[in-house]
Amino acid sequence: MKYFIAGFGLILLVLASCQKERPEAISPAISTKISDLVDQTWVLEHHNFNGIENIPPQDNYVKYLEFSSDSTFVGYTGCNLIHGIYHANDSGEIFFFSVLNVTGAPCPPGTDEWHDIISNQLLATHRFKITPTRLELNAGLNDTIDMLRFIPRNP
């Protein structure tokens, strides 16, 4: 009888261990999912050029991008509204097919440089990645030399 109870208990233990829910995989710290890119306002934190970090001036001209799931984007460069078409996939590839000025207004002093930086860097961008605190748009897979870095407006 002891062996029967011990054997039965062992079977229950094995069955119970098989039935346990496995913990969900922890999300990676870096995302390349389009769903994490869209429907969010991304405010420019800085631009890296040749390894030098350029921080935009603290003025009333918030520089931002917003991506939509229909492959369009809008943004503000501190000078003009921009919009265009992009293509991205969940592997972190992103291509901007057009970056058009919507307003075409003359740039206030000090903002024309940032308009050019943002517009030109978007056209050179081929990769994106999202961490819990920022979006990085890069020319290459591991490029940190020429990059735009954004933070979510409402993290």
Side-chain angles (χ1 to χ4, degrees), residues 109-120:
T111 62
D112 54 343
E113 174 188 10
W114 284 97
H115 174 80
D116 292 342
I117 287 171
I118 293 170
S119 298
N120 292 334

Side-chain angles (χ1 to χ4, degrees), residues 90-132:
D90 285 343
S91 297
E93 296 174 320
I94 189 167
F95 300 95
F96 293 85
F97 293 107
S98 64
V99 178
L100 304 172
N101 292 335
V102 175
T103 52
C107 297
T111 62
D112 54 343
E113 174 188 10
W114 284 97
H115 174 80
D116 292 342
I117 287 171
I118 293 170
S119 298
N120 292 334
Q121 183 63 39
L122 288 179
L123 290 172
T125 295
H126 297 289
R127 305 289 301 173
F128 78 93
K129 63 183 172 183
I130 301 168
T131 69

Side-chain angles (χ1 to χ4, degrees), residues 55-78:
I55 299 173
Q58 297 298 315
D59 53 25
N60 293 328
Y61 306 107
V62 175
K63 296 137 193 78
Y64 69 89
L65 291 175
E66 294 176 349
F67 297 90
S68 296
S69 57
D70 67 356
S71 295
T72 60
F73 72 94
V74 297
Y76 186 68
T77 65

Side-chain angles (χ1 to χ4, degrees), residues 8-45:
F8 185 73
L10 181 61
I11 291 172
L12 287 178
L13 182 62
V14 169
L15 288 175
S17 67
C18 291
Q19 299 286 332
K20 286 185 181 176
E21 290 183 29
R22 307 228 187 276
E24 290 186 27
I26 297 172
S27 299
I30 296 176
S31 170
T32 57
K33 292 185 179 182
I34 299 169
S35 59
D36 293 335
L37 179 68
V38 300
D39 300 327
Q40 172 72 264
T41 300
W42 297 100
V43 177
L44 182 64
E45 181 181 47

